Amino acid sequence: MVRIFYGMLFLCGLIFSANAQEAEVSTAESSGEIQETQDVNSSEETVSEQSVEEEPEEEVVYVDAEVFSPSFMKSLLECKPDTESNSENQVEIAGKKDQRCLIKYANFDLNVPFTLLGNIHSFEDVETLLKNKDIAHYNYRADYIYDGLVYALSACSDKKDYYGKQEELSDEYVTIIRGLSSEFINGICTINLQNTQSIEGVDSDFGVICTLPYKEIKNLEPYFKDIVEKYGEKRGFGADGHIMVKPAEQNKTTHEGDIALMYYMQKNGFCKKNSE
């Protein structure tokens, strides 16, 4: 009986020991799987990081400005007559003039110092020179607006101001504003013949200012009074009692009066250019 008891106790010990070994093996296998999973995840993250780091940067392409041909550049350095064209414009080297090189572009004359010729390589360089008032001169005859001068002088005669016609002329390079107005202050009538030229934000004033004392205006009154009374602005009342305004006319008669009065003011020294 005692042998049977010890035999059973020995058998239970074997079973307990076997189960413990299996548990250790299972735990070790499970730990190995976890470790393997972590290694795989770590490997994937490393690969992902390497992929981001090794991604090539976007290539930036720089386009050079359109430069002149070598033959034209040679002519330019020597200031020898030559031309160069692209799809839109033409540059003409006219030759040497007044110790400078005369270059024609668009409606401009460019009087370029010889020391700057080596800096001109493209149409873009030529257009940069247009901003330099000491080099670029726009081929523009400063035409003025005289229409309305009879009305401007009439307003001064009444000691009032006048704002006449104004217009803007533009092309690819230049904006020109012209107009006519008058102002009466302290017994002086000032006629402003506006004429401004703007090139790439650089302004030039070709305007003319005419100043006449009130006494001179009254002396001129017989030359414009009848014209203004006939063709000037008319105000009255309509059938419904509202004020009716008829604008001043511009016609052949008023235009001839404007030109005659302008000639008189210039001849008698009442006018001066703003640029003088």
Side-chain angles (χ1 to χ4, degrees):
M1 202 53 193
V2 174
R3 291 179 178 176
I4 294 173
F5 173 76
Y6 279 109
M8 293 179 63
L9 185 61
F10 178 75
L11 180 61
C12 289
L14 289 175
I15 293 172
F16 178 79
S17 177
N19 288 338
Q21 290 177 355
E22 289 178 358
E24 289 177 358
V25 171
S26 176
T27 301
E29 290 176 351
S30 176
S31 176
E33 290 175 357
I34 293 173
Q35 182 65 36
E36 183 180 355
T37 301
Q38 291 176 345
D39 292 341
V40 170
N41 291 338
S42 176
S43 177
E44 289 177 352
E45 291 175 358
T46 302
V47 172
S48 177
E49 291 174 358
Q50 289 177 350
S51 298
V52 172
E53 293 176 355
E54 294 175 0
E55 183 177 348
E57 295 183 0
E58 183 178 351
E59 184 179 0
V60 179
V61 178
Y62 296 95
V63 179
D64 294 332
E66 182 181 359
V67 298
F68 293 136
S69 64
S71 60
F72 184 78
M73 286 291 298
K74 186 175 183 297
S75 297
L76 187 59
L77 290 173
E78 299 174 0
C79 194
K80 184 176 67 176
D82 199 352
T83 59
E84 179 93 340
S85 302
N86 62 9
S87 58
E88 298 178 355
N89 293 299
Q90 175 178 286
V91 176
E92 178 187 354
I93 305 171
K96 298 178 182 180
K97 180 180 179 181
D98 299 329
Q99 303 302 314
R100 292 196 174 195
C101 185
L102 175 59
I103 299 174
K104 294 181 177 292
Y105 180 77
N107 289 320
F108 292 86
D109 285 346
L110 291 89
N111 295 297
V112 184
F114 297 133
T115 55
L116 295 182
L117 295 176
N119 297 331
I120 304 174
H121 306 96
S122 65
F123 285 93
E124 184 177 342
D125 291 338
V126 174
E127 293 193 356
T128 299
L129 292 176
L130 301 184
K131 303 177 185 180
N132 191 323
K133 295 172 64 173
D134 294 328
I135 291 177
H137 302 279
Y138 187 67
N139 291 320
Y140 164 68
R141 185 168 60 89
D143 292 328
Y144 300 92
I145 293 178
Y146 300 139
D147 291 339
L149 182 57
V150 291
Y151 300 126
L153 292 173
S154 177
C156 283
S157 178
D158 295 332
K159 301 183 178 181
K160 297 178 181 180
D161 299 339
Y162 173 80
Y163 300 95
K165 181 180 179 181
Q166 186 177 74
E167 65 181 19
E168 180 177 308
L169 310 172
S170 298
D171 62 18
E172 184 179 358
Y173 302 100
V174 181
T175 297
I176 295 168
I177 298 177
R178 307 187 304 170
L180 183 147
S181 62
S182 68
E183 184 179 42
F184 188 85
I185 298 179
N186 297 328
I188 300 295
C189 176
T190 301
I191 306 294
N192 179 24
L193 301 176
Q194 183 183 10
N195 196 303
T196 59
Q197 172 186 296
S198 179
I199 302 173
E200 299 288 337
V202 179
D203 297 333
S204 299
D205 190 351
F206 298 101
V208 171
I209 296 292
C210 304
T211 54
L212 298 88
Y214 185 67
K215 181 179 178 180
E216 187 66 34
I217 296 296
K218 301 307 287 185
N219 290 336
L220 288 173
E221 191 173 48
Y223 296 95
F224 59 75
K225 185 176 181 179
D226 290 344
I227 296 176
V228 173
E229 287 180 352
K230 186 173 183 179
Y231 301 109
E233 181 181 277
K234 304 291 190 303
R235 289 177 175 265
F237 292 94
D240 56 359
H242 289 85
I243 297 178
M244 303 292 291
V245 178
K246 180 183 178 182
E249 295 182 40
Q250 299 284 353
N251 53 41
K252 182 179 180 181
T253 301
T254 63
H255 180 69
E256 289 175 350
D258 294 333
I259 297 300
L261 288 167
M262 191 67 226
Y263 176 77
Y264 174 84
M265 291 191 301
Q266 288 179 320
K267 185 177 180 181
N268 288 276
F270 292 112
C271 300
K272 181 180 180 180
K273 289 184 177 180
N274 291 336
S275 56
E276 292 179 350

